[in-house]
């Protein structure tokens, strides 16, 4: 057991585009983000209490009723929006306002407070000019502080691995993460040889990254509202 809750928690996710003011084609990026979020809302409809929606030009949010696919949702948004980089704040807790399925705007409560605090923590960490600051952070209540520390340590290490990837390594690793099949199939899709796939996976620490990703998925799977 990773978590202990005396109530049914929601999982609030806030995404914030990095350096959005410096993006020249902001309108195109926002249009692309809107399309990506629409696909996520459709694919993960059963996981969502409120659909993902853009709240500001450079920010979006959604509300999950179960945690099993949280990392997968973030991965899909991150992959589809690249090279635009996004920081993600995940907050677990109560929602004190009405929950509207079609949009998460207007919802409030500890879950969203924690997601917001997570985003602000990441922003502050980036300003300290640390090497490879994390781009995903989870915040929980005090009863689950030890699990919060452990998960955020794993997320930080995953960022270190991600930031070491070359463009080719990222292309191959993301293909493997998306399709979850063999190196031979990845080589066919990318029109390269299998040894090249193997070399990139090894140098990019793919199996360590994948193991951490799956472990976090299993941990967050414990979070699920009983009224779903």
């Amino acid at each position: 057991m990773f978590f202990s809750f005396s109530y049914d928690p929601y999982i609030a996710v806030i995404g914030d585009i990095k350096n959005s003011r410096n993006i020249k084609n902001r309108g195109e990026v926002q249009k692309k983000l809107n399309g990506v979020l629409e696909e996520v809302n459709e694919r993960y409809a059963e996981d969502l209490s409120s659909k993902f929606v853009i709240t500001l030009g450079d920010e979006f949010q959604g509300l999950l009723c179960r945690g099993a696919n949280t990392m997968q949702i973030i991965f899909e948004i991150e992959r589809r929006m690249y090279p635009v980089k996004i920081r993600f704040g995940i907050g677990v807790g109560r929602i004190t306002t009405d929950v509207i399925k079609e949009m998460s705007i207007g919802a409030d409560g500890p879950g969203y407070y924690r997601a917001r605090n997570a985003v602000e923590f990441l922003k502050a960490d980036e300003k300290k000019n640390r090497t490879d600051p994390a781009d995903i952070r989870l915040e929980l209540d005090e009863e689950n502080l030890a699990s919060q520390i452990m998960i955020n340590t794993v997320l930080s290490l995953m960022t270190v691995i991600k930031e070491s990837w070359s463009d080719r390594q990222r292309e191959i690793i993301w293909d493997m993460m998306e399709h979850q099949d063999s190196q031979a199939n990845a080589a066919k899709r990318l029109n390269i040889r299998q040894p090249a796939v193997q070399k990139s996976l090894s140098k990019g620490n793919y199996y360590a990254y994948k193991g951490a990703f799956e472990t976090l998925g299993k941990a967050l799977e414990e979070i699920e509202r009983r009224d779903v």
Side-chain angles (χ1 to χ4, degrees), residues 81-94:
M81 291 303 299
Y82 188 83
V84 173
K85 293 188 175 183
I86 302 172
R87 59 179 74 87
F88 292 90
I90 307 169
V92 181
R94 290 187 174 91

Side-chain angles (χ1 to χ4, degrees), residues 11-184:
I11 301 173
V13 178
I14 295 177
D16 181 55
I17 294 176
K18 295 184 180 183
N19 301 315
S20 61
R21 293 181 181 178
N22 297 326
I23 297 175
K24 294 181 180 180
N25 55 338
R26 291 183 68 179
E28 292 179 17
V29 169
Q30 188 174 31
K31 183 178 179 180
K32 181 178 180 181
L33 175 60
N34 191 60
V36 170
L37 295 181
E38 285 180 357
E39 291 186 25
V40 166
N41 288 335
E42 183 176 351
R43 181 172 300 176
Y44 297 98
E46 293 184 359
D47 297 274
L48 300 177
S49 289
S50 293
K51 293 180 179 180
F52 280 92
V53 63
I54 296 173
T55 53
L56 298 170
D58 57 357
E59 195 171 276
F60 57 91
Q61 66 185 40
L63 190 66
L64 282 64
C65 55
R66 55 168 67 97
N69 288 315
T70 305
M71 291 302 298
Q72 191 63 36
I73 289 170
I74 289 174
F75 167 73
E76 289 201 25
I77 297 172
E78 183 179 54
R79 178 178 60 83
R80 295 279 303 281
M81 291 303 299
Y82 188 83
V84 173
K85 293 188 175 183
I86 302 172
R87 59 179 74 87
F88 292 90
I90 307 169
V92 181
R94 290 187 174 91
I95 299 299
T96 55
T97 56
D98 290 340
V99 174
I100 302 172
K101 179 70 174 180
E102 290 305 310
M103 55 188 288
S104 57
I105 295 176
D108 205 1
Y112 274 115
Y113 302 156
R114 291 176 184 135
R116 170 62 56 197
N117 287 341
V119 169
E120 295 304 321
F121 181 97
L122 294 175
K123 287 182 179 179
D125 212 33
E126 290 164 15
K127 291 179 180 178
K128 296 175 183 177
N129 294 319
R130 294 179 177 176
T131 303
D132 299 333
D135 52 14
I136 307 172
R137 180 173 174 82
L138 172 76
E139 293 214 357
L140 299 152
D141 55 29
E142 292 184 1
E143 294 179 3
N144 294 283
L145 185 58
S147 294
Q148 174 180 309
I149 293 170
M150 180 192 68
I151 287 173
N152 285 326
T153 299
V154 174
L155 287 168
S156 294
L157 293 173
M158 289 173 67
T159 298
V160 172
I161 292 175
K162 284 192 298 186
E163 292 299 316
S164 74
W165 293 341
S166 66
D167 289 341
R168 173 45 63 95
Q169 288 168 355
R170 182 180 297 105
E171 179 185 28
I172 292 170
I173 288 169
W174 279 357
D175 181 89
M176 290 286 290
M177 293 286 290
E178 179 184 5
H179 294 96
Q180 296 291 312
D181 58 7
S182 68
Q183 294 182 20

